[in-house]
Amino acid sequence: VQLVESGGGLVQAGGSLRLSCAASGNIDVINAMGWYRQAPGKEDRLLVARVSSGGSKHFADSVKGRFTISRDNGKNTLYLQMNSLKPEDTAMYYCVAAGPHWQQTGEYDYWGQGTQVTVSP
């Protein structure tokens, strides 16, 4: 499975961006998909949002009410709509996908290269 992100960039606080993630390869094995982010100078990565194959969604508390996640299975594409962006949303955003064992392990097997989102004050 290959994941390719796009849509990152520089935006002012209060603005919006939509990230896209195109999946290719053996996509039939994909269960959940989501977005992680890693802020500059931080080692930890935060699971920002995810959507399961059944459609259930989860969001980090810091983005609830501002970010939405959607999945177009026909286009094999995952989206992250980010509204009311804040400087603290500045990070590298990674698209992730999990295989069939996701419900047992919660682990994501496939990662994209990342797309940079920078929010200026």
Side-chain angles (χ1 to χ4, degrees), residues 4-6 18-22 33-37 46-51 68-70 78-81 93-96 108 111 114-115:
V4 178
E5 304 97 333
S6 61
R18 187 176 82 155
L19 305 184
S20 300
C21 171
M33 295 186 75
W35 295 90
Y36 271 85
R37 73 184 184 190
L46 172 71
L47 179 61
V48 175
R50 64 92 174 141
V51 56
T68 57
I69 189 170
S70 60
L78 180 73
Y79 302 99
L80 183 69
Q81 178 67 44
Y93 284 72
Y94 297 91
C95 177
V96 296
Y108 294 88
W111 290 69
T115 185

Side-chain angles (χ1 to χ4, degrees), residues 1-119:
V1 175
Q2 293 79 45
L3 304 172
V4 178
E5 304 97 333
S6 61
L10 173 64
V11 64
Q12 287 187 329
S16 298
L17 282 175
R18 187 176 82 155
L19 305 184
S20 300
C21 171
S24 61
N26 192 16
I27 59 174
D28 289 341
V29 304
I30 294 176
N31 190 332
M33 295 186 75
W35 295 90
Y36 271 85
R37 73 184 184 190
Q38 185 172 15
K42 299 272 184 81
E43 291 188 0
D44 293 341
R45 291 178 175 178
L46 172 71
L47 179 61
V48 175
R50 64 92 174 141
V51 56
S52 72
S53 58
S56 67
K57 300 177 181 179
H58 167 83
F59 296 91
D61 288 342
S62 56
V63 307
K64 282 180 182 176
R66 300 188 298 121
F67 290 14
T68 57
I69 189 170
S70 60
R71 186 170 171 177
D72 185 336
N73 291 324
K75 294 182 178 180
N76 302 323
T77 302
L78 180 73
Y79 302 99
L80 183 69
Q81 178 67 44
M82 306 184 293
N83 299 326
S84 301
L85 282 161
K86 304 175 181 180
E88 50 264 44
D89 294 317
T90 295
M92 184 70 78
Y93 284 72
Y94 297 91
C95 177
V96 296
H101 60 267
W102 172 76
Q103 289 179 322
Q104 289 75 41
T105 66
E107 295 177 352
Y108 294 88
D109 305 278
Y110 310 103
W111 290 69
Q113 292 299 306
T115 185
Q116 177 68 38
V117 171
T118 303
V119 184

